[in-house]
Amino acid sequence: MTDDKKHGSALLAGLALLTSQLSINVGAAVAKHLFPLIGVEGVTAYRVGISAVLMMLVFRPWRTPLTWKQGCNVAIYGSVIGLMNLLIYRSFSLIPLGIAVAIEVAGPLTVAVLSSRRPRDFAAVCLAVVGLYFLLPIHGEVGQLDPVGVMYAAGAAVCWALYIVFGKRVSAMHGGQSVAWGMLAASMFIVPIGAWYAGATLLTPTYLLIGLVIAVMSSALPYTLEMVSMRTLSSRTFSMFSSGAPALSALAGMVVLGEHLTLTQWLAISSIVLASALTSLR
C-alpha cells in the first residue's frame, strides 16, 4: 500500500471514530431521559438487545462460522460490551455525562500507556491524568459528586480497556460480523436483567421507539464504525483518540440535558482533549 493510501485509510478511520463518538454521546443523552421511566437496566436492555437484533439481521454473521478461538474472543468481547454499557449508564444516572466519561476514559489511557513507545505519548498521558485528577470528587468544586457514580464510571473504564484489547483481536474478522456476534453475546445476559427490573413496561410502544433510536445511535452505528477503525489504527492510537470523548459527552449533556459544569471541570476535560490531540499528531 502506498503512503497516500495509508494516509487516506488512517484519515477515514479517524473520521469513523469521530462519528462514532458523536453518535454514542448524543444517544447517551437521549437514554438518560428514559432512566426514570424504565430504569437503567431497562434502557441498557433496549440498547444492547435491539442493537443485537438489528446487527444480526443486517450482517447475518452465521454465514461465516466461528472457530473455537474466535468464539471465545467474541464471547469475552460481547460480555465486556454489555457490562460496560450497564456500568456507564448507572454512572450517568448519578453524575453528569461529561464527568462520567472523563473517568471512564482512564481505560483507554491505560491501554495507551502499556502500548506506548514514544516520549510524546507519555507526556500526553500525563496531561490527561492531570485532567482526570481535577474531575475526581476530592476537590471543593466537585465534592458534590456521588461517589457511587464515580465507582460505576471506574468500573466502566476497566471494561473499556478490555473492550479495546479484545476488540482488536476480533477486528481481524469482518467488522460487522464480529460486532453482531459481540452484541448477541452481550444481550444474552443484559436483556434478562433489564426484563427482570422493568418487566412488561419494556413493551410500551413509545418506549420501544425511543429504545430503537438509542440502540442505533449508541451501539449499532458506533460499534460498527469503531470496528472499522480498529482494523486500521493501533490499539494505542485508538485509545488516545478516544480520549476526546469526555468533551463530546459534556457538550451532549449540556445541550440535551442542561448539565452545566464548573470552569475547573471544563479545563480538566480540555486537558484530556489536548492530550488526545498531542498523541495523534504525526
Side-chain angles (χ1 to χ4, degrees):
M1 182 181 293
T2 65
D3 290 341
D4 288 343
K5 288 183 178 180
K6 289 181 179 179
H7 178 73
S9 297
L11 180 60
L12 288 176
L15 290 174
L17 188 53
L18 177 60
T19 303
S20 166
Q21 292 295 335
L22 288 171
S23 178
I24 203 169
N25 283 295
V26 174
V30 174
K32 195 165 181 175
H33 285 294
L34 273 186
F35 289 168
L37 302 175
I38 58 175
V40 172
E41 293 79 10
V43 178
T44 308
Y46 274 161
R47 174 177 175 175
V48 174
I50 296 177
S51 295
V53 172
L54 292 176
M55 301 196 75
M56 293 296 287
L57 291 175
V58 171
F59 294 105
R60 293 177 289 177
W62 57 83
R63 295 179 300 175
T64 305
L66 299 177
T67 64
W68 174 256
K69 183 178 180 180
Q70 287 176 331
C72 290
N73 285 331
V74 165
I76 298 174
Y77 168 71
S79 298
V80 167
I81 288 177
L83 186 58
M84 179 173 63
N85 287 337
L86 181 59
L87 290 175
I88 197 60
Y89 271 5
R90 279 193 170 276
S91 180
F92 288 166
S93 68
L94 298 171
I95 61 178
L97 264 65
I99 295 177
V101 176
I103 297 171
E104 184 191 25
V105 86
L109 285 174
T110 300
V111 174
V113 170
L114 296 177
S115 60
S116 178
R117 294 295 183 272
R118 297 183 302 169
R120 180 195 300 170
D121 296 325
F122 283 105
V125 168
C126 290
L127 187 60
V129 168
V130 170
L132 289 172
Y133 171 76
F134 284 104
L135 287 177
L136 295 177
I138 57 178
H139 309 285
E141 293 186 8
V142 293
Q144 74 277 11
L145 290 180
D146 191 319
V148 177
V150 172
M151 291 179 62
Y152 281 135
V158 175
C159 292
W160 196 350
L162 294 174
Y163 165 75
I164 293 172
V165 173
F166 286 96
K168 187 67 176 177
R169 293 183 184 181
V170 302
S171 65
M173 303 161 50
H174 186 279
Q177 291 180 342
S178 57
V179 178
W181 282 123
M183 292 306 297
L184 179 63
S187 68
M188 297 297 288
F189 77 96
I190 289 297
V191 172
I193 292 175
W196 175 268
Y197 276 87
T201 309
L202 286 178
L203 301 178
T204 304
T206 303
Y207 298 165
L208 277 171
L209 181 60
I210 300 175
L212 175 62
V213 174
I214 293 171
V216 172
M217 296 190 67
S218 297
S219 291
L221 177 61
Y223 287 151
T224 301
L225 292 174
E226 286 180 4
M227 191 57 62
V228 171
S229 298
M230 285 179 179
R231 298 181 67 179
T232 301
L233 303 177
S234 67
S235 295
R236 172 180 52 80
T237 303
F238 180 92
S239 300
M240 293 305 297
F241 202 99
S242 299
S243 297
L248 297 176
S249 296
L251 289 173
M254 182 178 65
V255 173
V256 181
L257 301 171
E259 295 178 344
H260 297 282
L261 306 182
T262 66
L263 178 60
T264 299
Q265 291 166 345
W266 276 113
L267 290 175
I269 289 175
S270 298
S271 177
I272 297 172
V273 173
L274 180 59
S276 177
L278 177 62
T279 195
S280 299
L281 291 175
R282 291 288 183 181

